[in-house]
Amino acid sequence: MSIAKNSTSTQELSPSGLPIKPIPGSCGVPFFSPIWDRLNFYYFQGHMTYFKSRISKHNSTVLRLNVPPGPFLASKPHVVAVLDALSFQVLLDSSKVDKTDTLTGTYIPPLSLYSGIRPLAYLDTTDPQHTTLKTQITGLIVSRKDYVIPSFRKIYGSLFDSIHGKLESSGPTEFNTLSQSAAFDFMCSAFFEGALPSAAIGPSAADMALKWLLFQLHPLVSKASKLIPWPLEDIFLHNFHLPPCLVKSNYKALETYFTNVGESFLTDAEQVGISRHVALHNLIFATIFNAYGGIKIFLPFLLKWLVQGGPELHNKLSEEIQSVIRSENGSVTPACLERMHLTKSVVYEALRLNPPVEYQYGRARSDLVIESHDAAYKVKKGEMIFGYQPIATRDEKVFTNGEKFVAERFVGEGEKLLQYVYWSNGRETDEPGVTNKQCPGKDIVVLVGRLFVIELFLRFDTFTGEIGELPLEPKVTFKSLHKV
């Protein structure tokens, strides 16, 4: 990369002509500062304020800081943070960043949670297994695409009917707990033949999957229980790995289930040189961590924005959805989904504001220059680059009223802004491939979001709800549902 010198001064310029500045910020005193920063991040300031206060202090959206969990789980918590829509893009460029073991950031969960293998999500694009594994996972998704709509409609249609019944008989009804099991059943119904996990494993199947997720992500979770004082929570969740042996029996039950329903996938994997062991545990990871985990977190956020949208937004969505479905004689097809422009925009807007995976990491492959809107910064080879996506995708220099939910944001000319929606570890306008780390199930998540809105407004004209807080997503409680 050539770097120009300003002819009237010694100021270095980036290839696009921006002044190259030193990266501001500091990681403070080793050991002590990362712990203090972790407490600020989780308990004293909160995620958004933690980053915004540092942006304001240094007048820069590219800066050096510490990210949790820090000691004792992560010996090197210092990163170069990219916190605007332009600088964040470096994390999407596989030629510039190495993604080896960076899925969870500055720490990696015990590999015994994955039966000793390193799942696809932890592999860089240059890893010999990356291409083969991603091709197999993508092939499974493509082969089952026709099952997504009927599976979702059946399972979530039943869920909404159940919520309505509980609301009429018992009053306000929480969405999250009921959706947790439905989400796991849906993902397995969409991807595999055979019994649903709630039948094959039992009613606790989704709880087993969630517990396994918690043992991987607990260093990034806070306020897990109102009954536990935050100092105790910080000690036990953010300083040491929870013992994998505590979820061994749960994982064994999940392993047995996926061995049965995933037989054809495992056989196909063996034919291209992937051992059944590696294929099985990648299949479990992709289904639970990537698919189920993403849907479990995203749908409550989507519902939260729908609740806050109120009757005006509900009426517009109901009219659009019911009108298009009537024209299709009651059928929900991929073609009719494309005609629901407001519905599509609402889903993208929810993904912009609340991506299921908030953090992105990558190590610089070589010395490079990162550009923000008004300056450029040198990063050395091997440095960890970190992006907090909910800030990058609320960038006011790209999105007008970026902090606000605007239902029509991506309608018409607004579709051009989709290139700045990064929730899938890639631009929404890009496609997943073996040379990038974009989520292979990207289009499935968007489709599920649209189907969720459709099923809701095919049954109900409007509704009210109450928004609370859970460790990973908002708690949404339905207070009223008005049938069509």
Side-chain angles (χ1 to χ4, degrees):
M1 175 184 292
S2 61
I3 298 176
K5 290 284 187 81
N6 191 316
S7 59
T8 61
S9 72
T10 58
Q11 174 72 66
E12 284 186 294
L13 302 178
S14 71
S16 62
L18 292 173
I20 295 179
K21 299 180 179 180
I23 301 175
S26 169
C27 297
V29 181
F31 186 79
F32 296 103
S33 291
I35 292 177
W36 176 246
D37 287 342
R38 181 178 74 216
L39 297 180
N40 277 315
F41 183 84
Y42 285 130
Y43 306 110
F44 304 154
Q45 291 183 305
H47 303 188
M48 196 66 77
T49 301
Y50 178 82
F51 294 116
K52 286 187 174 182
S53 64
R54 285 152 180 77
I55 291 173
S56 177
K57 177 181 178 180
H58 298 289
N59 193 29
S60 175
T61 52
V62 177
L63 61 160
R64 296 188 184 278
L65 47 75
N66 294 310
V67 292
F72 296 90
L73 281 171
S75 61
K76 297 180 179 179
H78 40 278
V79 299
V80 175
V82 287
L83 303 173
D84 64 79
L86 294 190
S87 62
F88 188 93
Q89 293 177 7
V90 69
L91 290 166
L92 312 179
D93 190 338
S94 295
S95 69
K96 294 180 179 178
V97 293
D98 184 331
K99 295 276 189 167
T100 302
D101 291 342
T102 63
L103 176 68
T104 47
T106 55
Y107 80 99
I108 182 170
L111 294 184
S112 56
L113 288 168
Y114 317 123
S115 194
I117 67 110
R118 185 171 261 98
L120 171 63
Y122 288 98
L123 303 182
D124 183 62
T125 53
T126 60
D127 190 290
Q129 288 195 85
H130 182 272
T131 295
T132 309
L133 286 170
K134 192 165 186 179
T135 298
Q136 290 303 112
I137 296 293
T138 302
L140 171 65
I141 294 170
V142 171
S143 70
R144 299 288 299 180
K145 61 183 175 57
D146 292 338
Y147 294 87
V148 174
I149 292 178
S151 294
F152 188 91
R153 297 205 67 195
K154 179 180 179 180
I155 291 172
Y156 272 83
S158 176
L159 172 68
F160 285 133
D161 290 342
S162 176
I163 290 174
H164 183 256
K166 289 179 180 292
L167 193 60
E168 288 200 324
S169 64
S170 308
T173 302
E174 183 190 330
F175 168 77
N176 303 68
T177 303
L178 296 173
S179 178
Q180 185 172 299
S181 179
F184 195 27
D185 276 353
F186 158 66
M187 294 312 310
C188 292
S189 173
F191 288 166
F192 313 109
E193 300 289 346
L196 299 178
S198 61
I201 300 175
S204 63
D207 292 332
M208 291 181 180
L210 186 60
K211 188 175 179 181
W212 178 66
L213 285 174
L214 174 64
F215 271 61
Q216 299 168 67
L217 299 175
H218 68 84
L220 304 177
V221 171
S222 64
K223 301 174 184 176
S225 172
K226 293 180 180 179
L227 302 177
I228 303 176
W230 70 260
L232 287 179
E233 178 187 81
D234 186 63
I235 290 171
F236 288 106
L237 290 189
H238 305 144
N239 286 275
F240 312 98
H241 290 297
L242 296 177
C245 61
L246 296 180
V247 289
K248 186 175 181 179
S249 62
N250 289 339
Y251 191 72
K252 186 65 178 177
L254 294 168
E255 187 177 337
T256 299
Y257 173 75
F258 282 98
T259 298
N260 293 330
V261 298
E263 176 60 33
S264 62
F265 175 85
L266 302 179
T267 300
D268 290 344
E270 281 188 305
Q271 292 176 353
V272 295
I274 305 172
S275 73
R276 288 180 73 87
H277 179 74
V278 170
L280 172 61
H281 297 287
N282 269 282
L283 183 63
I284 296 172
F285 188 93
T287 307
I288 297 179
F289 191 107
N290 296 132
Y292 167 62
I295 295 299
K296 173 191 160 38
I297 293 171
F298 173 57
L299 291 184
F301 274 113
L302 176 57
L303 184 56
K304 165 196 161 183
W305 292 117
L306 291 173
V307 167
Q308 295 181 350
E312 183 178 354
L313 175 59
H314 298 174
N315 290 339
K316 290 179 181 178
L317 286 167
S318 180
E319 182 179 335
E320 176 183 79
I321 290 166
Q322 293 178 35
S323 173
V324 171
I325 297 301
R326 277 196 302 269
S327 71
E328 294 287 333
N329 296 317
S331 297
V332 177
T333 64
C336 80
L337 292 177
E338 293 303 315
R339 293 163 52 199
M340 300 179 188
H341 303 293
L342 178 60
T343 302
K344 184 172 19 174
S345 178
V346 163
V347 172
Y348 285 139
E349 182 71 340
L351 286 167
R352 179 185 73 85
L353 288 166
N354 299 110
V357 179
E358 295 184 337
Y359 316 118
Q360 295 289 347
Y361 294 84
R363 291 184 183 85
R365 291 192 188 277
S366 60
D367 292 353
L368 55 84
V369 173
I370 294 175
E371 295 187 345
S372 65
H373 291 288
D374 48 20
Y377 307 87
K378 289 182 178 180
V379 175
K380 293 183 179 179
K381 178 181 179 179
E383 286 197 272
M384 181 72 89
I385 304 171
F386 160 82
Y388 185 57
Q389 200 172 153
I391 279 187
T393 54
R394 299 180 190 205
D395 188 338
E396 297 277 348
K397 293 185 178 180
V398 173
F399 297 103
T400 304
N401 296 320
E403 294 281 353
K404 183 181 178 183
F405 179 86
V406 179
E408 298 88 357
R409 189 182 297 276
F410 298 104
V411 174
E413 285 294 305
E415 287 193 1
K416 294 178 181 178
L417 292 172
L418 287 175
Q419 64 179 305
Y420 299 106
V421 177
Y422 306 136
W423 71 270
S424 63
N425 199 14
R427 296 174 180 82
E428 186 59 34
T429 51
D430 291 343
E431 292 298 326
V434 296
T435 60
N436 62 42
K437 292 298 293 181
Q438 190 163 27
C439 173
K442 159 182 169 274
D443 294 337
I444 297 292
V445 174
V446 175
L447 173 58
V448 165
R450 294 187 207 175
L451 292 172
F452 181 82
V453 179
I454 289 169
E455 284 302 310
L456 189 56
F457 286 103
L458 282 177
R459 284 172 166 74
F460 312 106
D461 282 323
T462 189
F463 54 89
T464 60
E466 184 176 86
I467 309 301
E469 188 177 352
L470 291 172
L472 295 175
E473 77 264 20
K475 177 182 177 182
V476 184
T477 301
F478 282 103
K479 298 181 72 175
S480 68
L481 288 164
H482 301 279
K483 270 188 165 290
V484 172

